[in-house]
Amino acid sequence: MKNLIVALAALALAACSKSPAFPSREGAPDGAVRLAMPEGEALPGMRAGDSQASWAAGTDGISARYGHPGETPLVSVACREGVLTVTRHAAAPVGAQALFALVGSEGIMRLPVDATSVPGQRGYIWQGTISADDSRTKVLGGAYNGTLPGAGMIKVAAGAPVRELIAKCRRSAPTAAPEPVGPAQVTE
């Protein structure tokens, strides 16, 4: 009887104890915090109905947007002096940093992004930059799945407007100045 009471007491104490903390994942950033998704709120990029998202060239000639016509884009890419700015239009916590993981038919890229305030918009969204001549930008031109903390996964279809933008941006990159010719290099 005494053993039964001791066993029941041990089970009761075990049931009341806290579960162990989640082990940190190898390669995860120091101090990483899991974000809880709001209940009853759809993930960005998820849509009911038959509407298909697609790429469209921006009216400015230096950007492309992926999303449903007439709505805020899900992803956009813009070019400025040979640098591509990739924006995931999903809410980001102030001061947050993450890796936008893109896995697609043209390769894999992990783009560092920051919570960025965009003039004329409320709140912060995810934004990062990459040189247009970086070989990893091929991923952006093909179909890919993009994953971002707190923004879920988004499936992006391939599109001519974004491929054309990347090619145009590569051509617009500033060229490096030629090396000066030294006296020893001059031949007569």
Side-chain angles (χ1 to χ4, degrees), residues 1-99:
M1 181 73 169
K2 187 175 181 181
N3 289 340
L4 179 62
I5 293 174
V6 171
L8 288 174
L11 284 173
L13 285 174
C16 294
S17 67
K18 290 184 177 180
S19 59
F22 289 106
S24 62
R25 287 185 13 204
E26 185 177 322
D30 292 340
V33 177
R34 289 191 176 269
L35 299 174
M37 295 302 296
E39 297 266 339
E41 190 174 310
L43 289 173
M46 304 304 273
R47 179 184 180 88
D50 297 336
S51 176
Q52 292 290 329
S54 61
W55 283 102
T59 56
D60 55 9
I62 58 169
S63 65
R65 305 165 64 122
Y66 181 80
H68 301 278
E71 295 183 10
T72 302
L74 302 171
V75 175
S76 63
V77 180
C79 173
R80 182 164 185 220
E81 298 177 4
V83 176
L84 294 169
T85 300
V86 179
T87 305
R88 173 68 170 102
H89 297 267
V94 176
Q97 296 178 325
L99 291 176

Coordinates of all heavy atoms in Angstrom, one line a residue, residues 1-99:
M1 N 0.8 -1.2 0.0 CA 0.0 0.0 0.0 C 0.9 1.3 0.0 O 0.5 2.2 -0.7 CB -0.9 -0.1 1.2 CG -1.8 1.1 1.3 SD -3.1 0.9 0.1 CE -4.2 2.1 0.6
K2 N 1.9 1.2 0.8 CA 2.8 2.4 0.9 C 3.5 2.6 -0.5 O 3.6 3.8 -0.9 CB 3.9 2.1 1.9 CG 4.8 3.3 2.2 CD 5.7 2.9 3.4 CE 6.6 4.1 3.6 NZ 7.5 3.9 4.7
N3 N 3.9 1.5 -1.2 CA 4.5 1.7 -2.5 C 3.5 2.3 -3.5 O 3.8 3.1 -4.4 CB 5.0 0.3 -3.0 CG 6.2 -0.2 -2.3 OD1 6.9 0.6 -1.7 ND2 6.4 -1.5 -2.3
L4 N 2.2 1.9 -3.4 CA 1.2 2.5 -4.3 C 1.0 4.0 -4.1 O 0.9 4.7 -5.0 CB -0.2 1.7 -4.0 CG -1.3 2.2 -4.9 CD1 -1.0 2.0 -6.4 CD2 -2.6 1.5 -4.5
I5 N 1.0 4.4 -2.8 CA 0.9 5.8 -2.5 C 2.1 6.6 -3.1 O 1.9 7.7 -3.6 CB 0.7 6.0 -1.0 CG1 -0.6 5.5 -0.5 CG2 0.8 7.5 -0.6 CD1 -0.8 5.5 0.9
V6 N 3.3 6.0 -2.9 CA 4.5 6.7 -3.4 C 4.4 6.8 -4.9 O 4.8 7.8 -5.5 CB 5.8 5.9 -2.9 CG1 7.0 6.4 -3.6 CG2 5.9 6.0 -1.4
A7 N 4.0 5.7 -5.6 CA 3.9 5.7 -7.1 C 2.9 6.8 -7.5 O 3.1 7.5 -8.5 CB 3.5 4.4 -7.6
L8 N 1.7 6.9 -6.9 CA 0.7 7.8 -7.2 C 1.2 9.3 -7.0 O 0.9 10.2 -7.8 CB -0.6 7.6 -6.5 CG -1.4 6.4 -6.9 CD1 -2.6 6.1 -6.0 CD2 -1.9 6.5 -8.3
A9 N 1.9 9.5 -5.9 CA 2.5 10.8 -5.6 C 3.5 11.2 -6.7 O 3.5 12.4 -7.2 CB 3.1 10.8 -4.3
A10 N 4.3 10.3 -7.1 CA 5.3 10.5 -8.2 C 4.6 10.9 -9.5 O 5.1 11.8 -10.2 CB 6.2 9.3 -8.3
L11 N 3.6 10.1 -9.9 CA 2.8 10.4 -11.1 C 2.2 11.8 -11.0 O 2.1 12.5 -12.0 CB 1.7 9.4 -11.3 CG 2.3 8.0 -11.9 CD1 1.1 7.0 -11.9 CD2 2.9 8.2 -13.2
A12 N 1.6 12.2 -9.8 CA 1.0 13.5 -9.7 C 2.0 14.6 -9.8 O 1.7 15.6 -10.5 CB 0.3 13.6 -8.3
L13 N 3.2 14.4 -9.3 CA 4.2 15.4 -9.4 C 4.7 15.5 -10.9 O 5.0 16.6 -11.4 CB 5.4 15.1 -8.5 CG 5.2 15.4 -7.0 CD1 6.4 14.9 -6.2 CD2 5.0 16.9 -6.8
A14 N 4.8 14.4 -11.5 CA 5.3 14.4 -12.9 C 4.2 15.1 -13.8 O 4.6 15.8 -14.8 CB 5.5 13.0 -13.4
A15 N 3.0 15.0 -13.5 CA 1.9 15.6 -14.3 C 1.9 17.1 -14.1 O 1.5 17.9 -15.0 CB 0.6 15.0 -14.0
C16 N 2.4 17.6 -13.0 CA 2.4 19.0 -12.7 C 3.6 19.8 -13.2 O 3.6 21.0 -13.2 CB 2.2 19.3 -11.2 SG 0.6 18.7 -10.6
S17 N 4.6 19.0 -13.5 CA 5.9 19.7 -13.9 C 5.8 20.3 -15.3 O 5.0 19.9 -16.1 CB 7.1 18.7 -13.8 OG 6.9 17.7 -14.8
K18 N 6.6 21.3 -15.6 CA 6.7 21.9 -16.9 C 7.4 21.0 -17.9 O 8.3 20.2 -17.5 CB 7.5 23.2 -16.8 CG 6.8 24.3 -16.1 CD 7.6 25.5 -16.2 CE 7.0 26.7 -15.5 NZ 7.8 27.9 -15.6
S19 N 6.9 21.1 -19.1 CA 7.6 20.3 -20.1 C 9.0 20.9 -20.4 O 9.2 22.1 -20.2 CB 6.8 20.2 -21.4 OG 6.5 21.5 -21.9
P20 N 9.9 20.1 -20.9 CA 11.3 20.7 -21.1 C 11.2 21.7 -22.2 O 10.4 21.7 -23.1 CB 12.1 19.4 -21.5 CG 11.1 18.4 -22.0 CD 9.8 18.7 -21.2
A21 N 12.2 22.6 -22.2 CA 12.3 23.7 -23.2 C 12.7 23.0 -24.5 O 13.4 22.0 -24.6 CB 13.3 24.7 -22.8
F22 N 12.2 23.6 -25.6 CA 12.5 23.1 -26.9 C 14.0 23.3 -27.2 O 14.6 24.4 -26.9 CB 11.8 23.9 -28.0 CG 10.3 23.6 -28.1 CD1 9.4 24.5 -27.6 CD2 9.9 22.4 -28.6 CE1 8.1 24.3 -27.7 CE2 8.5 22.1 -28.7 CZ 7.6 23.1 -28.2
P23 N 14.7 22.3 -27.7 CA 16.1 22.4 -27.9 C 16.3 23.4 -29.1 O 15.5 23.5 -30.0 CB 16.6 21.0 -28.3 CG 15.3 20.4 -28.8 CD 14.2 21.0 -28.1
S24 N 17.4 24.2 -29.0 CA 17.7 25.1 -30.1 C 18.2 24.3 -31.3 O 18.9 23.4 -31.2 CB 18.7 26.2 -29.7 OG 20.0 25.5 -29.4
R25 N 17.7 24.7 -32.5 CA 18.1 24.1 -33.7 C 19.5 24.5 -34.1 O 19.9 25.6 -34.0 CB 17.1 24.4 -34.9 CG 15.8 23.8 -34.7 CD 14.9 24.1 -35.8 NE 15.5 24.6 -37.0 CZ 14.9 25.3 -37.9 NH1 13.7 25.6 -37.8 NH2 15.6 25.8 -39.0
E26 N 20.2 23.5 -34.7 CA 21.6 23.8 -35.1 C 21.5 24.7 -36.3 O 20.7 24.6 -37.2 CB 22.2 22.5 -35.6 CG 23.7 22.7 -36.0 CD 24.3 21.4 -36.4 OE1 24.0 20.3 -35.7 OE2 25.1 21.4 -37.3
G27 N 22.3 25.8 -36.3 CA 22.3 26.8 -37.4 C 21.3 27.9 -37.2 O 21.2 28.8 -38.0
A28 N 20.4 27.8 -36.1 CA 19.4 28.8 -35.9 C 20.1 30.1 -35.3 O 21.1 29.9 -34.7 CB 18.4 28.4 -35.0
P29 N 19.6 31.3 -35.6 CA 20.2 32.5 -35.1 C 20.2 32.5 -33.6 O 19.2 31.9 -33.0 CB 19.4 33.6 -35.7 CG 18.6 33.0 -36.8 CD 18.5 31.5 -36.5
D30 N 21.1 33.1 -32.9 CA 21.1 33.2 -31.4 C 19.9 34.0 -31.0 O 19.6 35.1 -31.6 CB 22.4 33.9 -30.9 CG 23.6 33.0 -31.1 OD1 23.5 31.8 -31.3 OD2 24.8 33.5 -31.1
G31 N 19.2 33.6 -30.0 CA 18.1 34.3 -29.5 C 16.9 34.3 -30.4 O 16.0 35.1 -30.3
A32 N 16.8 33.3 -31.3 CA 15.7 33.2 -32.2 C 14.4 32.9 -31.4 O 14.4 32.2 -30.4 CB 15.9 32.1 -33.2
V33 N 13.3 33.5 -31.8 CA 12.1 33.4 -31.1 C 11.0 32.9 -32.1 O 10.9 33.5 -33.2 CB 11.6 34.7 -30.5 CG1 10.3 34.6 -29.8 CG2 12.6 35.2 -29.5
R34 N 10.2 31.9 -31.7 CA 9.1 31.4 -32.6 C 8.0 32.4 -32.4 O 7.6 32.8 -31.3 CB 8.7 30.0 -32.2 CG 9.7 29.0 -32.5 CD 9.1 27.6 -32.3 NE 10.0 26.6 -32.7 CZ 10.1 26.1 -33.9 NH1 9.3 26.5 -34.9 NH2 10.9 25.1 -34.3
L35 N 7.4 32.7 -33.6 CA 6.2 33.6 -33.5 C 5.0 32.8 -33.7 O 4.9 31.9 -34.5 CB 6.3 34.6 -34.7 CG 7.5 35.5 -34.7 CD1 7.5 36.3 -36.0 CD2 7.5 36.4 -33.5
A36 N 4.0 33.1 -32.9 CA 2.7 32.4 -33.0 C 1.8 33.1 -34.0 O 1.8 34.3 -34.1 CB 1.9 32.5 -31.6
M37 N 1.2 32.3 -34.9 CA 0.3 32.8 -35.9 C -1.0 33.2 -35.3 O -1.6 32.4 -34.4 CB 0.1 31.8 -37.0 CG 1.3 31.4 -37.8 SD 2.1 32.9 -38.5 CE 0.8 33.4 -39.7
P38 N -1.6 34.3 -35.7 CA -2.9 34.7 -35.1 C -4.0 33.7 -35.5 O -4.0 33.2 -36.6 CB -3.2 36.1 -35.8 CG -1.9 36.5 -36.3 CD -1.1 35.3 -36.6
E39 N -4.9 33.4 -34.6 CA -6.0 32.5 -34.8 C -7.0 33.1 -35.8 O -7.3 34.3 -35.7 CB -6.6 32.1 -33.5 CG -5.7 31.4 -32.5 CD -5.8 29.9 -32.6 OE1 -6.8 29.4 -33.1 OE2 -4.9 29.3 -32.2
G40 N -7.5 32.3 -36.7 CA -8.6 32.8 -37.6 C -8.1 33.8 -38.6 O -8.9 34.3 -39.4
E41 N -6.8 34.1 -38.8 CA -6.3 35.0 -39.8 C -5.6 34.2 -40.8 O -4.8 33.4 -40.6 CB -5.4 36.0 -39.1 CG -5.0 37.1 -40.0 CD -4.2 38.2 -39.2 OE1 -4.6 38.6 -38.1 OE2 -3.1 38.5 -39.7
A42 N -6.0 34.5 -42.1 CA -5.3 33.7 -43.2 C -3.9 34.1 -43.3 O -3.5 35.3 -43.1 CB -6.1 34.0 -44.5
L43 N -3.1 33.2 -43.7 CA -1.6 33.5 -44.0 C -1.5 34.4 -45.2 O -2.3 34.3 -46.2 CB -0.9 32.2 -44.3 CG -0.7 31.3 -43.1 CD1 0.0 30.0 -43.5 CD2 0.2 32.0 -42.1
P44 N -0.5 35.3 -45.2 CA -0.3 36.1 -46.4 C -0.1 35.2 -47.6 O 0.7 34.3 -47.5 CB 0.9 37.0 -46.0 CG 1.0 36.9 -44.6 CD 0.4 35.6 -44.1
G45 N -0.7 35.5 -48.7 CA -0.4 34.7 -49.9 C -1.5 33.6 -50.1 O -1.5 33.0 -51.1
M46 N -2.3 33.3 -49.1 CA -3.3 32.3 -49.2 C -4.6 33.0 -49.6 O -5.0 34.0 -49.0 CB -3.5 31.6 -47.8 CG -2.2 31.0 -47.3 SD -1.4 29.9 -48.5 CE -2.2 28.4 -48.0
R47 N -5.3 32.4 -50.5 CA -6.5 33.1 -51.0 C -7.5 32.1 -51.4 O -7.2 31.1 -52.0 CB -6.1 33.9 -52.3 CG -7.2 34.6 -52.9 CD -6.7 35.3 -54.2 NE -7.8 36.0 -54.8 CZ -8.1 37.2 -54.6 NH1 -7.5 37.9 -53.6 NH2 -9.1 37.8 -55.2
A48 N -8.8 32.4 -51.1 CA -9.9 31.5 -51.5 C -10.3 31.9 -52.9 O -10.2 33.0 -53.3 CB -11.0 31.6 -50.5
G49 N -10.9 30.9 -53.6 CA -11.4 31.3 -54.9 C -10.5 30.7 -56.0 O -9.5 30.1 -55.8
D50 N -10.8 31.1 -57.3 CA -10.1 30.6 -58.4 C -9.1 31.5 -59.0 O -8.4 31.2 -60.0 CB -11.1 30.2 -59.5 CG -12.1 29.1 -59.1 OD1 -11.7 28.4 -58.2 OD2 -13.2 29.1 -59.7
S51 N -8.9 32.7 -58.4 CA -8.0 33.7 -58.9 C -6.6 33.2 -58.9 O -6.1 32.6 -57.9 CB -8.1 35.0 -58.1 OG -7.2 35.9 -58.6
Q52 N -5.8 33.4 -59.9 CA -4.4 33.0 -60.0 C -3.5 34.2 -59.9 O -3.7 35.1 -60.6 CB -4.1 32.2 -61.3 CG -4.8 30.9 -61.4 CD -4.2 29.9 -60.5 OE1 -3.0 29.9 -60.2 NE2 -5.0 28.9 -60.0
A53 N -2.6 34.1 -59.0 CA -1.6 35.2 -59.0 C -0.6 35.1 -60.1 O -0.4 34.0 -60.6 CB -0.8 35.1 -57.6
S54 N -0.1 36.2 -60.6 CA 0.8 36.2 -61.7 C 1.8 37.4 -61.6 O 1.5 38.4 -60.8 CB 0.1 36.2 -63.0 OG -0.7 37.4 -63.1
W55 N 2.8 37.4 -62.4 CA 3.8 38.5 -62.5 C 3.3 39.6 -63.4 O 2.7 39.3 -64.4 CB 5.2 38.0 -62.9 CG 5.9 37.3 -61.9 CD1 6.1 36.0 -61.8 CD2 6.7 37.9 -60.8 NE1 6.9 35.7 -60.7 CE2 7.3 36.8 -60.1 CE3 6.9 39.2 -60.4 CZ2 8.1 37.1 -59.0 CZ3 7.7 39.4 -59.3 CH2 8.3 38.3 -58.6
A56 N 3.5 40.8 -63.1 CA 3.2 41.9 -63.9 C 4.3 43.0 -63.8 O 4.9 43.2 -62.7 CB 1.9 42.6 -63.5
A57 N 4.7 43.5 -65.0 CA 5.7 44.6 -65.0 C 5.2 45.8 -64.4 O 4.0 46.2 -64.6 CB 6.2 44.8 -66.4
G58 N 6.0 46.5 -63.6 CA 5.6 47.8 -63.0 C 5.5 48.9 -64.1 O 6.2 48.8 -65.1
T59 N 4.7 49.9 -63.9 CA 4.6 51.0 -64.8 C 5.9 51.8 -64.9 O 6.1 52.5 -65.9 CB 3.4 51.9 -64.4 OG1 3.6 52.4 -63.1 CG2 2.1 51.2 -64.5
D60 N 6.7 51.7 -63.9 CA 8.0 52.5 -63.8 C 9.1 51.9 -64.7 O 10.1 52.5 -64.9 CB 8.5 52.7 -62.4 CG 8.6 51.3 -61.7 OD1 8.5 50.3 -62.3 OD2 8.8 51.4 -60.4
G61 N 8.9 50.7 -65.1 CA 9.9 50.0 -66.0 C 11.1 49.4 -65.2 O 11.9 48.8 -65.8
I62 N 11.1 49.6 -63.9 CA 12.2 49.1 -63.1 C 11.7 48.2 -61.9 O 12.4 47.9 -61.0 CB 13.1 50.2 -62.5 CG1 12.2 51.1 -61.6 CG2 13.8 50.9 -63.6 CD1 13.0 52.1 -60.8
S63 N 10.5 47.6 -62.1 CA 10.0 46.7 -61.0 C 9.0 45.7 -61.7 O 8.5 45.9 -62.8 CB 9.2 47.5 -60.0 OG 8.1 48.2 -60.5
A64 N 8.8 44.6 -60.9 CA 7.8 43.6 -61.3 C 7.1 43.2 -60.0 O 7.7 43.2 -58.9 CB 8.5 42.4 -61.9
R65 N 5.8 42.9 -60.1 CA 5.0 42.5 -58.9 C 4.3 41.2 -59.2 O 3.8 40.9 -60.3 CB 4.0 43.6 -58.7 CG 4.6 45.0 -58.6 CD 3.5 46.0 -58.8 NE 2.5 45.9 -57.7 CZ 2.3 46.9 -56.8 NH1 2.8 48.1 -57.0 NH2 1.4 46.7 -55.9
Y66 N 4.3 40.4 -58.1 CA 3.6 39.1 -58.2 C 2.5 39.1 -57.2 O 2.6 39.4 -56.0 CB 4.6 37.9 -57.8 CG 3.9 36.6 -57.8 CD1 3.7 35.9 -59.1 CD2 3.4 36.0 -56.7 CE1 3.1 34.7 -59.1 CE2 2.7 34.8 -56.8 CZ 2.6 34.1 -58.0 OH 1.9 32.9 -58.1
G67 N 1.3 38.9 -57.8 CA 0.1 38.9 -56.9 C -1.2 38.8 -57.8 O -1.1 38.6 -59.0
H68 N -2.3 39.1 -57.1 CA -3.6 39.1 -57.8 C -3.8 40.5 -58.3 O -3.6 41.5 -57.6 CB -4.7 38.7 -56.8 CG -4.4 37.3 -56.2 ND1 -4.8 36.2 -56.9 CD2 -3.9 36.9 -55.1 CE1 -4.4 35.1 -56.2 NE2 -3.9 35.6 -55.1
P69 N -4.4 40.7 -59.5 CA -4.6 42.0 -60.1 C -5.5 42.9 -59.1 O -6.5 42.4 -58.6 CB -5.3 41.7 -61.4 CG -5.0 40.3 -61.7 CD -4.8 39.6 -60.4
G70 N -5.1 44.1 -59.0 CA -5.8 45.1 -58.2 C -5.6 45.0 -56.7 O -6.2 45.7 -56.0
E71 N -4.7 44.1 -56.3 CA -4.5 43.9 -54.8 C -3.0 44.2 -54.5 O -2.2 44.3 -55.4 CB -4.8 42.5 -54.4 CG -6.3 42.2 -54.5 CD -6.6 40.8 -54.0 OE1 -5.8 40.2 -53.3 OE2 -7.8 40.4 -54.2
T72 N -2.7 44.4 -53.3 CA -1.3 44.5 -52.8 C -0.5 43.3 -53.3 O -1.0 42.2 -53.1 CB -1.2 44.6 -51.3 OG1 -2.0 45.7 -50.9 CG2 0.2 44.8 -50.8
P73 N 0.7 43.5 -53.9 CA 1.4 42.3 -54.3 C 1.8 41.4 -53.2 O 1.9 41.9 -52.0 CB 2.6 42.9 -55.0 CG 2.7 44.3 -54.5 CD 1.4 44.7 -54.1
L74 N 2.1 40.2 -53.5 CA 2.6 39.2 -52.5 C 4.1 39.3 -52.4 O 4.7 39.3 -51.3 CB 2.2 37.8 -52.8 CG 0.7 37.6 -53.0 CD1 0.4 36.2 -53.5 CD2 0.0 37.8 -51.6
V75 N 4.8 39.5 -53.6 CA 6.2 39.7 -53.7 C 6.4 40.7 -54.8 O 5.7 40.7 -55.8 CB 6.9 38.3 -54.1 CG1 8.4 38.5 -54.4 CG2 6.7 37.3 -53.1
S76 N 7.4 41.5 -54.6 CA 7.8 42.5 -55.7 C 9.3 42.5 -55.7 O 10.0 42.3 -54.8 CB 7.2 43.9 -55.4 OG 7.7 44.4 -54.3
V77 N 9.8 42.8 -56.9 CA 11.3 42.9 -57.2 C 11.5 44.3 -57.9 O 10.8 44.5 -58.9 CB 11.8 41.8 -58.1 CG1 13.3 41.9 -58.3 CG2 11.5 40.4 -57.4
A78 N 12.4 45.1 -57.5 CA 12.7 46.3 -58.1 C 14.2 46.4 -58.3 O 15.0 45.8 -57.6 CB 12.3 47.5 -57.2
C79 N 14.6 47.2 -59.3 CA 16.0 47.4 -59.7 C 16.4 48.8 -59.5 O 15.7 49.8 -59.9 CB 16.2 47.0 -61.1 SG 17.9 47.3 -61.7
R80 N 17.6 49.0 -58.9 CA 18.2 50.3 -58.8 C 19.7 50.2 -58.9 O 20.4 49.6 -58.1 CB 17.9 50.9 -57.5 CG 18.4 52.3 -57.4 CD 17.8 53.1 -56.3 NE 18.3 54.5 -56.3 CZ 18.6 55.2 -55.3 NH1 18.4 54.7 -54.1 NH2 19.0 56.4 -55.4
E81 N 20.3 50.7 -60.0 CA 21.7 50.7 -60.3 C 22.4 49.3 -60.1 O 23.4 49.2 -59.5 CB 22.4 51.7 -59.4 CG 21.9 53.1 -59.7 CD 22.6 54.1 -58.7 OE1 23.4 53.7 -57.9 OE2 22.2 55.3 -58.8
G82 N 21.7 48.3 -60.7 CA 22.3 47.0 -60.7 C 22.0 46.2 -59.4 O 22.6 45.1 -59.2
V83 N 21.2 46.7 -58.5 CA 20.9 46.0 -57.3 C 19.4 45.7 -57.3 O 18.6 46.6 -57.5 CB 21.3 46.8 -56.0 CG1 20.8 46.1 -54.8 CG2 22.8 47.1 -56.0
L84 N 19.0 44.4 -57.0 CA 17.6 44.1 -56.9 C 17.2 44.2 -55.5 O 17.8 43.7 -54.6 CB 17.4 42.6 -57.4 CG 17.7 42.3 -58.9 CD1 17.7 40.8 -59.1 CD2 16.7 43.0 -59.7
T85 N 16.0 44.8 -55.3 CA 15.4 44.9 -54.0 C 14.2 43.9 -54.0 O 13.3 44.1 -54.8 CB 14.9 46.3 -53.7 OG1 16.0 47.2 -53.7 CG2 14.2 46.3 -52.3
V86 N 14.2 42.9 -53.2 CA 13.1 41.9 -53.1 C 12.3 42.2 -51.9 O 12.8 42.3 -50.8 CB 13.7 40.5 -53.0 CG1 12.6 39.4 -52.9 CG2 14.6 40.2 -54.2
T87 N 11.0 42.3 -52.1 CA 10.1 42.7 -51.0 C 9.0 41.6 -50.9 O 8.4 41.2 -51.8 CB 9.4 44.0 -51.2 OG1 10.4 45.0 -51.5 CG2 8.5 44.4 -50.1
R88 N 8.9 41.0 -49.7 CA 7.8 40.1 -49.4 C 6.8 41.0 -48.6 O 7.1 41.4 -47.5 CB 8.3 38.9 -48.5 CG 7.2 38.0 -48.0 CD 6.5 37.3 -49.1 NE 5.7 36.2 -48.6 CZ 4.3 36.3 -48.5 NH1 3.7 37.4 -48.9 NH2 3.6 35.4 -48.0
H89 N 5.7 41.2 -49.2 CA 4.7 42.1 -48.6 C 3.8 41.4 -47.6 O 2.7 41.0 -47.8 CB 3.8 42.7 -49.7 CG 4.5 43.5 -50.7 ND1 4.6 44.9 -50.6 CD2 5.2 43.2 -51.8 CE1 5.3 45.4 -51.6 NE2 5.7 44.4 -52.3
A90 N 4.5 41.2 -46.4 CA 3.9 40.5 -45.3 C 4.3 41.3 -44.0 O 5.5 41.8 -44.0 CB 4.3 39.0 -45.2
A91 N 3.5 41.3 -43.0 CA 3.8 42.1 -41.8 C 5.1 41.5 -41.2 O 5.3 40.3 -41.1 CB 2.7 42.0 -40.9
A92 N 5.9 42.4 -40.7 CA 7.2 42.0 -40.0 C 7.3 42.8 -38.7 O 6.9 44.0 -38.7 CB 8.4 42.4 -40.9
P93 N 7.7 42.2 -37.7 CA 7.9 42.8 -36.4 C 9.0 43.9 -36.5 O 10.0 43.7 -37.2 CB 8.3 41.7 -35.4 CG 8.1 40.5 -36.1 CD 8.1 40.7 -37.6
V94 N 8.8 45.0 -35.8 CA 9.8 46.1 -35.8 C 11.2 45.6 -35.4 O 11.3 44.9 -34.4 CB 9.4 47.2 -34.9 CG1 10.4 48.3 -34.8 CG2 8.0 47.8 -35.3
G95 N 12.2 45.9 -36.2 CA 13.6 45.5 -35.9 C 13.9 44.1 -36.3 O 15.0 43.6 -36.0
A96 N 13.0 43.3 -36.8 CA 13.3 41.9 -37.1 C 14.2 41.7 -38.3 O 14.2 42.5 -39.2 CB 12.0 41.2 -37.3
Q97 N 14.9 40.6 -38.3 CA 15.8 40.2 -39.4 C 15.5 38.7 -39.6 O 15.3 38.0 -38.6 CB 17.2 40.4 -39.1 CG 17.6 41.8 -38.9 CD 19.1 42.0 -38.6 OE1 19.7 41.2 -37.9 NE2 19.7 43.1 -39.1
A98 N 15.6 38.2 -40.8 CA 15.4 36.8 -41.1 C 16.0 36.4 -42.4 O 16.6 37.3 -43.1 CB 13.9 36.5 -41.2
L99 N 15.9 35.2 -42.8 CA 16.3 34.7 -44.1 C 15.1 34.3 -44.9 O 14.3 33.5 -44.4 CB 17.3 33.5 -44.0 CG 18.6 33.8 -43.4 CD1 19.4 32.5 -43.2 CD2 19.4 34.8 -44.3

